[in-house]
Amino acid sequence: LDFARYNNPEDREELMEDSGWKLIHGDVFRSPPFPAVLAVLVGSGAQIFVMTMLTLCFAIMGFVSPANRGGLLIAMLSLWVLSAFVCGFTAARLYSNIGGLSKKSVTIGASLFYSTIVFVVFFLLNLLLAISKSSSSVSFFTLLILVVLWFGISIPLNIVGAFLAYKLQPVDFPCKTSNIPREIQKYSPVSPRLFAFLSGILPFGVIFIELVFILNSLWQNEFFYMFGFLFLVAIILLITCAEVSIVLTYLTLTKEDYNWWWRSFFGSATSGLYVFIYSIIYLCTQPELKGMHFVSSLLFVGYTFIISLGFLMMTGFIGFFTSFWFVRKIYGSVHID
């Protein structure tokens, strides 16, 4: 009977419709490996995304002048502290939807992860400047103010955001998760991680020209005035990250592979690695930077690492958020018995 059904053209079309991504409806919303880490990274990316877009909006409206770099830095720092609520809320909301149990760890991780990295790198670089008796070093009082802003405003806002997120009911997924995980067959000789790594080339290509202008502004004393064009590039980057992650997620699901969570994040997040690699190439190839002092080179690498990591998490958040919406949408549009 099964053989006859398979040879029947109408039944064959029905079988084809029930293959691929529809077959893994019982596993597609299964909790990914290291859900707490994923929640912290997505939450940090959401905070950076909000801070970046608000900064660009204020710059376009003329509230922030590119000629006053101190004012731009203060505006970004203020927005970063105030947007900590978004980080805590997003991380906690995602983690509760996944069904995680270590809620306190996620809240603390979201509060401290990226901020700690930034502060430690900044403190070590500033210590090098102080040892070399550079006038560019930041005073102890300024560092104390940063710590007060961090622990006095940023962390409490993060905790409040997480608290409110945990109070909400988890999202109802369109499919119930089965008790026994489905076996994933090997479908390609090339590792899916390689596809995710190569996917980051497209978002990097979108911001490549703007990256050159920004590096020239930061390290060659050139002023950057094209915030309107930068905002347009940011919108194109958002669309590109979303499309890349959605396509990568869909291709993963069609191969009956339900491990889409991390791939949707890294599909666009790997563009941050390309930003860091190109920045190092920029440092080594620019004639004006070849005679740079060793401490200055460390400053370049340290600050570039902070920016690249932030860009990685921001683009990863965009990719994951759109893929999460996409997966819920396609599985919510089909009737599954």
Side-chain angles (χ1 to χ4, degrees):
L1 292 176
D2 291 339
F3 184 76
R5 182 188 176 198
Y6 182 81
N7 285 316
N8 190 326
E10 295 181 358
D11 292 337
R12 192 184 308 154
E13 292 181 1
E14 182 179 349
L15 285 172
M16 291 177 65
E17 291 179 357
D18 292 335
S19 62
W21 59 272
K22 294 182 182 180
L23 292 178
I24 58 172
H25 62 85
D27 298 274
V28 69
F29 294 109
R30 189 177 301 280
S31 178
F34 310 106
V37 179
L38 179 63
V40 170
L41 292 176
V42 171
S44 300
Q47 181 181 6
I48 298 170
F49 174 76
V50 171
M51 180 203 70
T52 302
M53 298 307 294
L54 288 178
T55 302
L56 288 177
C57 290
F58 288 151
I60 291 174
M61 292 185 292
F63 294 115
V64 179
S65 173
N68 185 5
R69 295 183 178 180
L72 178 61
L73 184 60
I74 292 174
M76 293 180 65
L77 180 61
S78 302
L79 291 173
W80 168 260
V81 171
L82 295 176
S83 60
F85 176 88
V86 177
C87 176
F89 184 88
T90 304
R93 186 65 175 153
L94 173 60
Y95 192 64
S96 62
N97 290 334
I98 295 176
L101 301 177
S102 303
K103 295 182 178 180
K104 291 183 180 179
S105 300
V106 170
T107 303
I108 295 173
S111 303
L112 300 178
F113 175 67
Y114 187 60
S115 298
T116 301
I117 294 176
V118 173
F119 183 80
V120 169
V121 173
F122 179 77
F123 178 80
L124 292 177
L125 294 177
N126 187 68
L127 183 62
L128 287 176
L129 289 174
I131 293 174
S132 61
K133 298 180 180 180
S134 172
S135 58
S136 301
S137 61
V138 176
S139 65
F140 174 79
F141 180 72
T142 303
L143 292 175
L144 184 61
I145 292 177
L146 294 177
V147 173
V148 170
L149 290 174
W150 182 14
F151 285 90
I153 301 178
S154 179
I155 291 180
L157 284 176
N158 205 304
I159 294 175
V160 170
F163 176 79
L164 294 177
Y166 287 136
K167 287 293 183 181
L168 299 176
Q169 290 294 327
V171 173
D172 292 328
F173 293 127
C175 308
K176 293 183 179 180
T177 302
S178 59
N179 296 326
I180 302 176
R182 181 187 181 92
E183 183 181 359
I184 301 175
Q185 302 291 336
K186 186 177 181 180
Y187 52 86
S188 174
V190 182
S191 173
R193 296 183 182 88
L194 179 60
F195 284 110
F197 177 75
L198 295 177
S199 299
I201 295 178
L202 293 177
F204 171 73
V206 171
I207 55 98
F208 174 73
I209 301 299
E210 287 298 300
L211 178 62
V212 175
F213 286 127
I214 293 173
L215 289 174
N216 289 337
S217 174
L218 291 176
W219 300 103
Q220 297 192 30
N221 296 321
E222 296 181 5
F223 290 105
F224 186 86
Y225 291 98
M226 299 181 294
F227 282 102
F229 185 70
L230 182 60
F231 182 80
L232 178 62
V233 171
I235 298 299
I236 298 174
L237 174 66
L238 191 154
I239 297 172
T240 304
C241 291
E243 291 178 345
V244 166
S245 293
I246 287 176
V247 170
L248 186 62
T249 299
Y250 181 73
L251 292 177
T252 299
L253 297 178
T254 55
K255 299 301 181 181
E256 300 178 17
D257 186 354
Y258 50 85
N259 293 324
W260 60 273
W261 301 81
W262 280 103
R263 292 172 197 170
S264 66
F265 180 85
F266 281 112
S268 53
T270 49
S271 57
L273 299 177
Y274 291 104
V275 170
F276 183 76
I277 292 172
Y278 174 76
S279 299
I280 300 302
I281 295 175
Y282 177 89
L283 173 64
C284 298
T285 56
Q286 289 296 311
E288 297 83 357
L289 303 180
K290 285 187 177 181
M292 183 181 291
H293 191 268
F294 177 72
V295 175
S296 299
S297 300
L298 288 179
L299 288 175
F300 182 96
V301 174
Y303 290 143
T304 300
F305 171 75
I306 292 174
I307 295 172
S308 301
L309 180 61
F311 187 80
L312 181 149
M313 291 188 293
M314 182 184 72
T315 52
F317 158 73
I318 297 171
F320 177 84
F321 181 81
T322 51
S323 292
F324 186 76
W325 170 84
F326 170 75
V327 173
R328 288 188 61 206
K329 199 72 175 177
I330 62 173
Y331 280 95
S333 63
V334 296
H335 177 69
I336 298 174
D337 297 329

